[in-house]
Amino acid sequence: MEEGDIHARRWEDLDNDILVKILQSFDVFELTSGIAHVCSAWRMACCDPLLWKTLDLSMLKSNFIRIPLEPYVYVHGRSDKNLTRLLKISLSLSRGNLRTLIFHFNLYVSDDQLTYTAERCPRLKRLVLPAWNRIKKTGICKAIRMWRELESLTMPSIANPPYFIEEISRNCENFSELKIMGPFDIYFASTLAAYLPRLKVLSLRCSMLIKDALIIILDSLQSLEVLNISHCLLIDIQPPPSQKIVIKKLDESILEKASRLREFITCMDDSCFMCERTKNDEGLMRWYKYEEGLWKADEVRSLAL
């Protein structure tokens, strides 16, 4: 065969299914690095829904410093621009097909970035949003109104939960899973009982948990099937002048209330390194001190990342 008879295929002629299969091995940084601009065939492949079921930004952290005033963090301008660029390209390529959105616990999203995202992925079912400092009431409520299909949320503890939880109750009729990364008190428990009585899965792992709040959950959330309080710092608040008491073993009354659950996941073992860390951090985990990605773990399979 003469050399001139060999017809090499061009990259743009590669079968779309094969190209999508290759692109599935790329992370979001690689997918948004310019691959879609090679040619129209590659852009079509980059927009395939198979690539955009999940937008995982759990490896992206803001370049920030702590400040004494609200929002208590200052984010470097270049860091903000990088996030905005990544969101714009990802949300353009995903074409509204995102179902899961994961932010790093130290990725400080602004109101504008959050609402921009919500407008372009209205069919979101799962949101992981541990960093809250820069998001205001108006921003998060506007986003929730657009995420009407939301079913699962990972969030920080907040001082005034009713406005947000009520917004979920009004707009997300299929909402069933909640993970709270931070202290869980009676106010928060009462809010869930009032607005999300049909909640099925709740994880409070590695948090400070008030005993009376736990009792409210067990008594009030009659649809609850799975409750995770692993590695929690369980506190019993006694009337003055008594001090807070750390509970080291669940009493029979709590175990009896929890017996109706399909899964009641606990760990209060002094030899457990996660229990020890929660105790040392006084129920407010400083995840930055520990192994990268440890914050994404959960004993509840559907909430683990």
Side-chain angles (χ1 to χ4, degrees):
M1 181 182 293
E2 296 293 333
E3 185 176 345
D5 293 334
I6 299 176
H7 299 285
R9 293 185 64 187
R10 298 175 300 176
W11 276 105
E12 58 265 35
D13 294 331
L14 187 64
D15 182 84
N16 186 73
D17 291 341
I18 295 176
L19 185 53
V20 170
K21 190 70 174 177
I22 295 172
L23 294 177
Q24 282 182 300
S25 65
F26 292 8
D27 62 29
V28 65
F29 301 105
E30 294 166 327
L31 285 173
T32 58
S33 64
I35 296 174
H37 298 299
V38 171
C39 63
S40 58
W42 281 36
R43 181 168 184 82
M44 183 182 299
C46 285
C47 294
D48 192 286
L50 288 174
L51 301 177
W52 297 106
K53 292 179 180 179
T54 298
L55 178 55
D56 186 354
L57 302 179
S58 62
M59 68 291 288
L60 182 65
K61 294 181 281 189
S62 296
N63 181 11
F64 70 97
I65 58 172
R66 305 283 183 186
I67 58 175
L69 302 175
E70 288 190 5
Y72 305 113
V73 294
Y74 169 78
V75 180
H76 191 273
R78 180 176 295 178
S79 180
D80 248 2
K81 289 179 180 178
N82 288 339
L83 175 58
T84 297
R85 173 189 168 277
L86 188 61
L87 287 173
K88 284 185 174 180
I89 298 174
S90 299
L91 295 170
S92 174
L93 294 174
S94 65
R95 295 181 177 178
N97 287 305
L98 286 180
R99 296 294 183 272
T100 299
L101 176 59
I102 304 170
F103 291 106
H104 191 278
F105 76 93
N106 271 339
L107 184 61
Y108 293 95
V109 182
S110 69
D111 276 347
D112 288 343
Q113 290 166 336
L114 186 67
T115 53
Y116 178 89
T117 300
E119 288 167 355
R120 286 157 180 80
C121 58
R123 300 170 65 189
L124 198 71
K125 293 184 180 295
R126 184 182 185 191
L127 174 64
V128 177
L129 187 66
W132 196 279
N133 299 57
R134 302 174 68 203
I135 301 173
K136 298 181 176 65
K137 176 179 178 179
T138 51
I140 190 62
C141 288
K142 183 178 179 180
I144 291 298
R145 292 183 197 116
M146 288 183 273
W147 282 325
R148 302 186 72 86
E149 297 182 29
L150 192 67
E151 298 176 1
S152 176
L153 172 67
T154 295
M155 61 174 284
S157 181
I158 55 176
N160 185 27
Y163 77 86
F164 177 58
I165 300 300
E166 183 179 6
E167 203 70 56
I168 293 175
S169 176
R170 286 178 176 176
N171 294 281
C172 311
E173 63 179 19
N174 295 321
F175 191 82
S176 62
E177 291 190 337
L178 179 63
K179 178 176 180 177
I180 299 169
M181 297 180 68
F184 189 76
D185 57 16
I186 295 173
Y187 190 23
F188 215 136
S190 299
T191 299
L192 293 187
Y195 295 111
L196 294 178
R198 295 182 297 170
L199 194 68
K200 293 181 179 180
V201 178
L202 176 63
S203 178
L204 306 170
R205 76 185 305 268
C206 299
S207 297
M208 182 174 70
L209 172 58
I210 304 302
K211 178 184 177 181
D212 286 345
L214 174 60
I215 293 172
I216 290 172
I217 290 300
L218 292 172
D219 285 342
S220 303
L221 300 186
Q222 292 301 308
S223 295
L224 196 66
E225 298 175 2
V226 178
L227 176 60
N228 184 9
I229 62 168
S230 293
H231 326 302
C232 281
L233 185 65
L234 187 59
I235 301 293
D236 188 9
I237 300 179
Q238 298 290 324
S242 299
Q243 298 180 343
K244 298 178 181 178
I245 300 174
V246 177
I247 298 174
K248 296 187 176 182
K249 184 179 180 180
L250 295 174
D251 60 43
E252 289 300 322
S253 64
I254 290 178
L255 293 174
E256 183 178 353
K257 291 175 185 293
S259 63
R260 65 175 177 83
L261 300 174
R262 177 165 55 84
E263 283 188 87
F264 182 45
I265 307 169
T266 67
C267 181
M268 303 174 70
D269 190 340
D270 287 339
S271 64
C272 170
F273 73 97
M274 288 305 300
C275 289
E276 182 66 21
R277 287 171 171 177
T278 306
K279 180 180 177 181
N280 291 340
D281 289 345
E282 299 180 331
L284 185 59
M285 290 291 285
R286 295 167 176 82
W287 294 105
Y288 61 86
K289 298 192 303 184
Y290 307 120
E291 300 91 326
E292 182 63 36
L294 186 65
W295 65 275
K296 297 189 287 186
D298 201 286
E299 288 75 14
V300 181
R301 185 177 302 175
S302 61
L303 289 172
L305 303 177

